[in-house]
Structures are given as structure tokens and as C-alpha cells.
Amino acid sequence: MQQRRDMTTPVHFLTLADLSPDQLRSLLKRATELKAMQRKGERYEPLRGKVLGMVFEKSSTRTRVSFETGMAQFGGHAIFLSPRDTQLGRGEPVEDSARVLSRMVDAIMIRTFEHEKIERFAACSRVPVINALTDRYHPCQLLADMQTYLEHRGDIQGRTVTWVGDGNNMCHSYINAARLLDFQLRIACPDGYEPESMVVESDAKAHVSIIRNPLEAAADSDLVVTDVWASMGQEEEQAGRVKAFADYQVTEAVMAAAKPDALFMHCLPAHRDEEVAATVIDGPQSVVWDEAENRLHSQKALLELLLVHAGRP
Ligand code: CP
Ligand code: NVA
């Protein structure tokens, strides 16, 4: 993976691990500053004349709108590209698409299936490539989640986070966050739905434990997080997954096992009374709307890091 770790800004943002712990912490702080500036109506247009290409091979509401709005607020422009109307969808190799697009735009954001695809794209791109979700990772969502925790409860270092549900792309990005920000991540997932061992068996290992029982896993946690049982691309597994995950709903009992001031997060879209009880997601411990809004502010901080501070120590 192309990156200049620690000393300078990363070239691409394919996983959270492309940032050093210090870079991640300053990005989160900056996201909150950018949020305050936006709220005050302060004009800040560091990306005037810059263009972000946005390749979406899967659906999106939050990611598309937050990147497009962020570019507009920064004085730049975003182009939405779907495989239905581009040659990517007709089989043009990703490498060729990367070579062409990156000669025209200043950064490219991609939401796709196989993580390897975004790595191949990035290897041929002249401009920063941002992972807007792959089957393995969803790092942009973690920027928003970690900003939200920081704003509500302060530093997450030393805290306990419980992930309830599938060992999916979001769970993998939580594993990366646990190492970078130094918190403990407990994963409550059914047998057969664990996170990939290559993600767990890494330098994050000491930060991760699998505890099958959600009530046990949530005990004294500071944050409880979940996600859909069937991710995009797994629609045909929905019925089987509903059975497999029946005991893995974030219920009021799960929240009651956590600390009294524990927060609840969900990247959204959510299925009420499937992975989360309606009373939890719509309840007082839920910060899902702040979390969704922070996609905008944290991605603006990311764009600033990759495009404005690029190459600077
Ligand atoms: N959480 C998230 O990435 O939402 P979208 O699929 O709507 O972009
Ligand atoms: N795990 C979900 C996240 C959606 C934002 C998916 O990949 O569909």
C-alpha cells in the first residue's frame, strides 16, 4: 500500500491503518473545528477548483451526500459515477479507469465490492483514492463514529466498545480503530460470522476479544455498536442470517448491561427490531443522527488532509 506513514500525509485512505494514531487524533479534532466553522457560517474554501470523482458500485445515501456536500462547502466539485453509466460497468479494467480518471480529477472516492479492487485502482492512480466502503472495510464511517464519541464522551483511549452482530466491514474497521486509538473491542457474533482472521490476527490482536454472549460482551461497556445482519451484496443470505443472528439484537437489556452513560451507534441504514430494538435506536443513549452528520465533517477533514496538507510533514 502506498503511504508515507507518520512523517507526511498518507497518499491514499484505503483503510484506517493508512493513518498513524497521531494523524487520526488530529483529524478527529479538526473535524470538530470544521463543524463549528460551518455552523458559524464561516466560508472556508481550500479546494476551490478541485474535483472529486465518486465511483459508486453499491447504493449510498450518507456517503454520497456527505462527500458531495463537503466538496461544495470547500469550494470544489464532485462528480457522481455509477457503473450503470460508465465504462467501468461495461468491463473497462479498473487499472485503465484509474489511469484515466486520475489524469482529470484531484481525488477519487470508491465504494465497491472486493477490497482488492480498490487496491488495484489505487496502485494506478496519480491522485489520492478514498475507500468509501468495500466488502472488507468502511474507514470513513469510523472517522465519524470516533468523532462522535469524542464529542459526547471525550477520548476513547482505555474505554470498552462492544460490537454486536456480523464480523463485517464495519467490524473490521472497528478493529483497526481499537489499535489506533487504544481501546478494547469486544465482538459478540454468532458462530461462523466472526471477523476475518487476517484482520484480527494483526497488531490489533491485543485490543480484540470475541465474547459470544451479547449481554456478557456489553457488560460495563462505554459504547455499543451494531450494523445490519446482511450487508450489501449479501441480500440472498438475508433469511438465513435472520435465523443465525436472532440472539444478536441490541436490546434494552444489552444497553442495560453496559455502563449507564454508554452510547449506542449504528452506521445506518438500520432495520428496527432486527439488529437493534426500535426503543434503543430511538432512545436516549442513541447518537446515530450526530454520527450520520459527522460523516460530513470528518470527511472534510480527510479531504483537507489528503489534498491540502499533502506532502507536508
Ligand atoms: N453509513 C453509510 O455508509 O451509509 P450509506 O450507505 O447511506 O452511504
Ligand atoms: N455493512 C454494511 C454497511 C452499510 C453502510 C454494508 O456493507 O452494507
Side-chain angles (χ1 to χ4, degrees), residues 113-170:
F113 292 85
E114 305 84 11
H115 188 73
E116 289 70 24
K117 197 164 174 181
I118 200 170
E119 291 181 331
R120 281 164 51 211
F121 192 104
C124 294
S125 172
R126 288 182 170 189
V127 300
V129 174
I130 297 170
N131 181 354
L133 184 148
T134 61
D135 288 345
R136 188 169 296 142
Y137 294 111
H138 193 7
C140 288
Q141 183 67 50
L142 260 290
L143 300 182
D145 287 24
M146 294 300 98
Q147 181 192 346
T148 308
Y149 190 87
L150 186 64
E151 288 176 351
H152 280 268
R153 295 285 183 267
D155 202 319
I156 200 163
Q157 182 170 31
R159 305 284 185 159
T160 300
V161 177
T162 296
W163 173 269
V164 180
D166 194 16
N168 63 11
N169 44 9
M170 276 296 298

Side-chain angles (χ1 to χ4, degrees), residues 56 59-66 111 132-133 138 141 170 232 266-269 295:
F56 279 99
S59 304
S60 168
T61 297
R62 282 143 286 267
T63 305
R64 177 182 177 178
V65 175
S66 53
R111 169 167 285 195
L133 184 148
H138 193 7
Q141 183 67 50
M170 276 296 298
M232 289 182 276
H266 189 310
C267 62
L268 306 177
R295 292 294 304 277

Side-chain angles (χ1 to χ4, degrees), residues 20-270:
S20 68
D22 285 348
Q23 283 172 334
L24 177 55
R25 283 181 193 281
S26 358
L27 187 154
L28 300 177
K29 235 178 89 201
R30 182 64 179 153
T32 299
E33 279 169 16
L34 290 168
K35 182 175 181 174
M37 284 159 64
Q38 191 61 35
R39 293 253 164 97
K40 277 191 270 175
E42 220 172 287
R43 224 181 154 110
Y44 174 57
E45 298 185 331
L47 299 186
R48 205 176 298 180
K50 303 274 188 201
V51 177
L52 172 73
M54 305 192 303
V55 178
F56 279 99
E57 296 196 323
K58 291 175 174 171
S59 304
S60 168
T61 297
R62 282 143 286 267
T63 305
R64 177 182 177 178
V65 175
S66 53
F67 269 113
E68 207 163 323
T69 302
M71 283 304 289
Q73 290 177 354
F74 268 177
H77 185 75
I79 305 176
F80 176 77
L81 299 158
S82 100
R84 228 174 315 163
D85 341 280
T86 58
Q87 301 292 2
L88 251 177
R90 294 182 60 248
E92 182 166 13
V94 284
E95 289 81 1
D96 291 358
S97 303
R99 289 180 184 111
V100 172
L101 289 176
S102 69
R103 281 172 181 244
M104 298 177 185
V105 301
D106 301 281
I108 300 166
M109 180 238 80
I110 307 181
R111 169 167 285 195
T112 189
F113 292 85
E114 305 84 11
H115 188 73
E116 289 70 24
K117 197 164 174 181
I118 200 170
E119 291 181 331
R120 281 164 51 211
F121 192 104
C124 294
S125 172
R126 288 182 170 189
V127 300
V129 174
I130 297 170
N131 181 354
L133 184 148
T134 61
D135 288 345
R136 188 169 296 142
Y137 294 111
H138 193 7
C140 288
Q141 183 67 50
L142 260 290
L143 300 182
D145 287 24
M146 294 300 98
Q147 181 192 346
T148 308
Y149 190 87
L150 186 64
E151 288 176 351
H152 280 268
R153 295 285 183 267
D155 202 319
I156 200 163
Q157 182 170 31
R159 305 284 185 159
T160 300
V161 177
T162 296
W163 173 269
V164 180
D166 194 16
N168 63 11
N169 44 9
M170 276 296 298
C171 179
H172 291 158
S173 285
Y174 260 94
I175 293 172
N176 284 342
R179 175 181 68 78
L180 286 163
L181 297 177
D182 190 23
F183 61 81
Q184 285 302 314
L185 179 68
R186 298 180 187 155
I187 299 169
C189 59
D191 197 19
Y193 294 92
E194 295 81 10
E196 286 179 32
S197 57
M198 65 160 263
V199 182
V200 181
E201 301 295 323
S202 62
D203 41 6
K205 198 176 171 190
H207 293 85
V208 180
S209 48
I210 302 219
I211 300 175
R212 294 288 173 197
N213 184 325
L215 287 169
E216 206 183 302
D220 294 321
S221 285
D222 298 282
L223 169 65
V224 178
V225 196
T226 191
D227 186 13
V228 290
W229 290 339
S231 285
M232 289 182 276
Q234 298 172 332
E235 288 78 5
E236 278 163 22
E237 298 174 30
Q238 174 71 22
R241 283 173 172 263
V242 166
K243 279 194 200 124
F245 286 89
D247 295 331
Y248 288 84
Q249 184 184 97
V250 178
T251 56
E252 288 186 55
V254 170
M255 291 309 294
K259 285 196 182 139
D261 70 342
L263 299 175
F264 170 77
M265 292 191 198
H266 189 310
C267 62
L268 306 177

